[in-house]
Amino acid sequence: MIEQKHTIIEIEVADLLKKTEEYHKAGHRLVQIGTTPLGDRYEINYTFTTAWDFESLRITVHDGDELPSISGIYWGAFIYENEINDLFGIPVNGMNIDFKGHLIETRIPTPFKNPPKITKVPKGGDA
Amino acid sequence: MSNRIVVPFGPQHPVLPEPIHLDLVLEDERVVEAIPTIGYVHRGLEKLVEKRDYKDYVLIAERICGICSFTHSVTYCNAIEHIMGVEVPPRAQFIRTIWMEYSRMHSHLLWLGLAADAMGFENLFMNAWRLREEILDDMEATTGGRVIQGTCKVGGIRRDIGDDKLGEMVDHLKKIRPLLEESNRIFTHDQTVRHRMRGLSVLSEKDAWDLGAVGPVARGSGCDMDVRSSGYSAYGELGFKPVTFSHGDCLDRCLVRSEEVLASVDLVERAVAKMPDGPIEEKVTGNPEGECFAFSEQPRGECLHYVRANGKKNIVRHRVRTPTFTNVPPLVKLLEGIELADVPVVVLTIDPCIGCCDR
Amino acid sequence: MSYITKSPWIIHYDGSSCNGCDIEVLACLTPLYDLERFGIVNTGNPKHADVFLVTGGINAQSEAVVKNTYEQMPDPKVVVAVGICACTGGVFRECYNIIGGVDKVIPVDVYVPGCAARPESIIDGVVRALGILEEKRAKMAEKGGK
């Protein structure tokens, strides 16, 4: 029984700061930033709300892409952005508090990063 | 005269049952800046979805944290049930709600005890934990577990509570209600408590909202923010009203919790009075496909479970945003400008649950 | 109960537990179970402690802290692994960040199973640990005497 409404809006990375600013001006709070690794790409959801109607901005990024930080707009966003940096290996530029990969220290670096594409091993080799 | 020194606080610290580390930048006795380091309890359990199927994973979701355990499993199940379109029978929803409220009572009493300990009020600490044991007795009698219950499953619950037992639970709550009220009276009126907490590190309503504070931290600052108002599980039928206070200081964050214990007692009584008959689970077959954001109100605040599934036995992604994680930025702000001796009390008022926070 | 010649003090550290066992350790010290009646005190200072209770498996970050705390404790000392995660890694043994049970890092004397370990079994584990502590102390005295 889920009573909360959730709208997902897909946007481009370039529009992220502008859209976030709009939400901030309209008095929304930042609920979360969450990343989903999907094999060849990552989806990042920025969830905002004023009450119990949630709205998520969804951007899609790939390995090697960089994200702009929204911590200039929502001060508390640094915790999620550092998490993205530490667990997924997606660099976030311009965070207000940058832990440089030491917020969550893990045994293997960036454990949630997509696995590298398997290149076909030629037949007849030593392996 | 500005003599800045950095004092490390934690991870092994007498007032903290759990490890969190703070680098406190001090100017004489005042904290100028606090930099938290988390991850001492990071296990990486979100990645276990690759190894456990979605039904077994309920037990892992429950073990994100041993205090909010039951709420975590319910939220995860809500997400899966929403994706699969499973209608959970009303009796199961009501019993889930009762157990969630019992978790809240035991969690808040636990916290009230720890807060009393942090301010050196040993007697109050012991008293709160004594009351907590009364709650745990009923929890154990109905689920078999004191802190980890394991009674929630996708589609319903594993065991029913008989009507006799429900009656006994209400009687028991009636008996301990005066004791809870007495304990609340101490938190509201006692000179020691007021002296340590009134006016200490105030968080304004605007700041609480902007920084993304949730749960008792936000409600102590006057934000009317409680996911239970949205009426998930059986809350919609129980006439729920959030508890809010307006000062935004440590005492108000504390009073929110002590009042919520009584509110939970009321909710359980109403749930028992309205308890529907019927089955306690819906048979679930097949695998989930789709995505869902499920929100719930844990003892520590709003919690989000995001599930993404692709029609296989193992779901693709389970992401948990726990209340403590999102309360870290407010904590950093709260610590600025207070005295070093007050740090343990202020850290405790966000009710840090590091097991949740680090996952 | 000759081994309770000195009040044993315990120190507790959370390796990477879910809190379940932590709060049960704390519950042992509160009115219903009341370990303090045996003179057992929960201390925050490793140099005061005789018994080291560890809950939860060991992960990348807690490894150094657990080792450090253990080394700071004076001899003789005993280690009690509380809960199945501390014994073997439990349900989290396959997590990428978990190294395993506490015995991967420091020697463990008593294993207390359970998820979460019940206060009764924790008390039982601590009492057994006290027996081992007494043996260790006797051995140390023997060596010191010669």
Side-chain angles (χ1 to χ4, degrees):
Chain A
M1 225 187 274
I2 305 259
E3 303 293 340
Q4 306 107 13
K5 238 174 69 189
H6 208 120
T7 324
I8 293 165
I9 306 158
E10 300 209 8
I11 58 160
E12 295 294 320
V13 181
D15 295 338
L16 178 66
L17 288 179
K18 203 181 82 202
K19 290 269 184 196
T20 310
E21 186 70 56
E22 282 169 20
Y23 277 110
H24 187 246
K25 280 211 180 108
H28 286 59
R29 73 184 162 95
L30 176 69
V31 177
Q32 66 117 17
I33 305 175
T35 314
T36 314
L38 289 169
D40 55 343
R41 61 188 198 281
Y42 304 90
E43 274 178 11
I44 306 180
N45 300 307
Y46 292 72
T47 312
F48 303 92
T49 188
T50 49
W52 306 120
D53 294 339
F54 294 90
E55 285 176 37
S56 284
L57 294 177
R58 173 169 292 177
I59 56 174
T60 305
V61 295
H62 296 87
D63 273 323
D65 288 0
E66 294 190 357
L67 281 177
S69 168
I70 64 160
S71 59
I73 304 164
Y74 285 97
W75 192 85
F78 73 87
I79 193 99
Y80 306 108
E81 291 179 341
N82 277 291
E83 187 193 27
I84 293 174
N85 186 38
D86 292 5
L87 298 183
F88 298 89
I90 305 169
V92 183
N93 291 323
M95 284 186 281
N96 52 4
I97 302 179
D98 193 343
F99 288 88
K100 302 194 164 48
H102 297 289
L103 177 72
I104 301 174
E105 283 186 22
T106 50
R107 242 169 114 202
I108 47 172
T110 60
F112 283 88
K113 205 179 169 78
N114 284 328
K117 277 213 181 70
I118 300 161
T119 43
K120 222 175 175 184
V121 182
K123 274 183 187 167
D126 294 334
Chain B
M1 187 182 92
S2 80
N3 218 356
R4 288 201 172 193
I5 44 166
V6 179
V7 175
F9 178 83
Q12 202 279 323
H13 190 276
V15 324
L16 298 169
E18 299 175 87
I20 183 171
H21 178 86
L22 294 166
D23 279 324
L24 302 169
V25 182
L26 298 185
E27 213 162 74
D28 297 330
E29 275 291 298
R30 298 245 163 231
V31 178
V32 194
E33 200 185 356
I35 302 158
T37 306
I38 59 167
Y40 284 94
V41 192
H42 182 69
R43 293 150 282 183
L45 58 85
E46 289 170 1
K47 199 128 175 110
L48 275 183
V49 291
E50 293 166 9
K51 289 173 180 148
R52 301 270 181 277
D53 75 40
Y54 75 95
K55 283 181 181 166
D56 290 353
Y57 190 79
V58 178
L59 297 175
I60 309 274
E62 184 157 22
R63 282 161 177 78
I64 290 169
C65 163
I67 308 174
C68 344
S69 46
F70 192 75
T71 332
H72 271 301
S73 56
V74 171
T75 319
Y76 171 78
C77 288
N78 275 341
I80 294 279
E81 285 152 6
H82 184 79
I83 293 174
M84 300 181 75
V86 177
E87 269 300 318
V88 179
R91 190 176 175 90
Q93 295 283 22
F94 270 75
I95 293 180
R96 277 182 183 181
T97 308
I98 289 179
W99 279 330
M100 279 194 275
E101 288 310 313
Y102 266 82
S103 306
R104 190 176 324 274
M105 285 188 264
H106 103 73
S107 170
H108 281 346
L109 286 168
L110 173 139
W111 180 83
L112 290 167
L114 289 179
D117 190 38
M119 57 188 152
F121 202 150
E122 189 88 357
N123 181 299
L124 196 53
F125 166 45
M126 293 297 176
N127 189 45
W129 281 61
R130 183 174 61 84
L131 290 171
R132 176 176 169 264
E133 291 292 340
E134 306 264 351
I135 302 292
L136 285 180
D137 281 349
D138 272 339
M139 191 75 141
E140 190 180 1
T142 51
T143 66
R146 280 164 54 88
V147 290
I148 301 273
Q149 285 81 30
T151 42
C152 190
K153 67 192 262 186
V154 177
I157 47 173
R158 274 178 218 281
R159 21 174 122 194
D160 202 354
I161 310 179
D163 288 337
D164 306 348
K165 182 63 199 169
L166 286 171
E168 277 171 33
M169 284 158 82
V170 171
D171 290 345
H172 192 190
L173 286 179
K174 281 213 174 92
K175 234 180 252 166
I176 59 175
R177 196 186 171 102
L179 301 173
L180 293 169
E181 277 166 355
E182 173 65 17
S183 152
N184 283 3
R185 203 185 55 78
I186 299 174
F187 276 102
T188 331
H189 295 294
D190 188 86
Q191 204 56 43
T192 315
V193 179
R194 293 186 79 85
H195 180 70
R196 282 303 297 273
M197 290 184 150
R198 185 48 100 197
L200 179 61
S201 65
V202 177
L203 185 69
S204 68
E205 183 176 350
K206 187 179 172 299
D207 280 353
W209 183 264
D210 270 0
L211 293 169
V214 294
V217 180
R219 291 198 288 277
S221 297
C223 299
D224 180 0
M225 186 202 294
D226 192 315
V227 192
R228 286 177 286 173
S229 326
S230 77
Y232 69 97
S233 289
Y235 290 114
E237 292 160 57
L238 297 178
F240 171 75
K241 264 213 181 79
V243 177
T244 54
F245 281 83
S246 56
H247 289 89
D249 57 4
C250 286
L251 186 63
D252 274 8
R253 288 193 278 282
C254 175
L255 293 182
V256 167
R257 294 181 178 103
S258 62
E259 285 299 319
E260 277 187 3
V261 177
L262 292 177
S264 295
V265 172
D266 291 343
L267 278 172
V268 171
E269 282 172 1
R270 263 176 271 155
V272 170
K274 285 192 170 179
M275 179 66 68
D277 284 326
I280 55 161
E281 62 167 306
E282 173 81 26
K283 209 167 158 46
V284 177
T285 50
N287 294 323
E289 182 165 14
E291 62 180 322
C292 180
F293 293 85
F295 289 84
S296 67
E297 184 73 20
Q298 286 190 335
R300 283 157 191 75
E302 170 199 280
C303 171
L304 158 72
H305 281 233
Y306 171 70
V307 170
R308 179 72 169 267
N310 61 353
K312 299 226 176 74
K313 214 169 61 178
N314 297 59
I315 58 176
V316 177
R317 172 83 168 128
H318 175 225
R319 187 251 193 299
V320 192
R321 205 265 4 238
T322 53
T324 306
F325 193 68
T326 195
N327 274 337
V328 169
L331 172 66
V332 173
K333 283 285 184 199
L334 283 175
L335 286 171
E336 284 172 11
I338 60 163
E339 287 179 355
L340 179 63
D342 285 328
V343 169
V345 176
V346 174
V347 171
L348 270 174
T349 55
I350 73 152
D351 198 353
C353 172
I354 311 302
C356 279
C357 180
D358 297 356
R359 307 180 304 283
Chain C
M1 298 266 268
S2 64
Y3 48 77
I4 307 186
T5 47
K6 169 188 181 293
S7 296
W9 283 22
I10 60 171
I11 182 167
H12 162 238
Y13 185 74
D14 170 357
S16 71
S17 119
C18 68
N19 279 343
C21 298
D22 298 341
I23 54 177
E24 293 296 50
V25 168
L26 268 179
C28 289
L29 299 163
T30 54
L32 188 68
Y33 298 99
D34 198 13
L35 260 183
E36 288 188 6
R37 69 200 141 126
F38 300 121
I40 295 174
V41 175
N42 188 13
T43 168
N45 188 339
K47 305 225 168 188
H48 295 176
D50 308 288
V51 183
F52 188 16
L53 295 183
V54 192
T55 51
I58 302 298
N59 72 0
Q61 265 193 20
S62 67
E63 189 182 2
V65 185
V66 169
K67 263 189 196 158
N68 197 10
T69 311
Y70 179 74
E71 275 156 20
Q72 283 182 340
M73 287 170 63
D75 280 320
K77 54 194 164 192
V78 283
V79 177
V80 183
V82 177
I84 196 67
C85 297
C87 298
T88 64
V91 288
F92 301 121
R93 66 192 177 280
E94 288 169 312
C95 289
Y96 59 82
N97 214 30
I98 295 286
I99 296 167
V102 179
D103 52 8
K104 291 266 197 302
V105 185
I106 53 172
V108 174
D109 299 285
V110 183
Y111 296 87
V112 179
C115 180
R118 294 185 55 87
E120 288 91 342
S121 48
I122 297 174
I123 293 173
D124 192 36
V126 171
V127 169
R128 271 168 206 237
L130 297 184
I132 297 171
L133 186 68
E134 195 51 39
E135 278 169 31
K136 284 189 177 175
R137 184 171 290 140
K139 263 188 204 153
M140 269 176 71
E142 224 172 79
K143 265 192 199 159
K146 272 171 194 169

